[in-house]
């Protein structure tokens, strides 16, 4: 089971076991990780699953598609390098240890 590390703005970490094939957002909501709201349930229309992927993981995670790009520009929290929608990152065994920072605010 690939693990995901969610880092809150105060530096505290939650490590959860994800199931390959589920999204970073789904794993967070399934484990009750605070700060991932996921209002639209993963339909790429709310941007309340915004996360910042750590630089070391970016090559494995890949680039956002056009729809995700547009939504990230509308996200409440500032866009940074590594900004992604958690619902659009599918977990694989290769992503074991993926570390993401949670924005300070989601709408
Ligand atoms: S859950 Fe709504 S955009 Fe990801």
């Amino acid at each position: 089971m690939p693990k995901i590390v969610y880092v809150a703005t105060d530096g505290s970490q939650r490590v959860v076991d994800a199931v390959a094939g589920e999204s970073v957002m789904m794993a967070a909501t399934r484990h009750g990780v605070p700060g991932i709201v996921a209002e639209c349930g993963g339909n790429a229309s709310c941007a309340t699953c915004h996360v910042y992927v750590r630089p070391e993981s970016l090559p494995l995670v890949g680039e956002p598609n056009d729809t995700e790009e547009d939504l990230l520009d509308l996200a409440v929290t500032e866009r940074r390098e590594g900004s992604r929608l958690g619902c659009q990152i599918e977990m694989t065994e290769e992503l074991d240890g993926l570390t993401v920072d949670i924005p300070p605010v989601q709408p």
Side-chain angles (χ1 to χ4, degrees):
M1 279 186 162
K3 292 193 185 310
I4 308 174
V5 183
Y6 299 89
V7 184
T9 48
D10 66 0
S12 61
Q13 299 188 352
R14 283 281 303 273
V15 182
V16 309
D17 287 318
V19 177
E22 77 177 338
S23 69
V24 168
M25 174 280 280
M26 188 63 75
T29 54
R30 199 163 58 80
H31 289 91
V33 175
I36 306 287
V37 178
E39 232 164 50
C40 78
N43 291 316
S45 61
C46 73
T48 62
C49 61
H50 187 190
V51 294
Y52 302 117
V53 175
R54 293 275 173 101
E56 61 271 20
S57 299
L58 277 177
L60 284 174
V61 168
E63 298 291 324
N65 64 29
D66 289 348
T67 304
E68 187 178 348
E69 279 284 350
D70 291 346
L71 263 177
L72 285 168
D73 287 338
L74 300 173
V76 166
T77 42
E78 63 164 333
R79 186 169 179 174
R80 303 180 197 157
E81 190 185 358
S83 278
R84 292 293 309 267
L85 296 180
C87 68
Q88 301 302 302
I89 303 173
E90 184 179 318
M91 286 305 293
T92 61
E93 294 298 339
E94 291 69 37
L95 283 176
D96 183 34
L98 174 68
T99 302
V100 299
D101 292 287
I102 298 174
V105 185
Q106 306 267 25

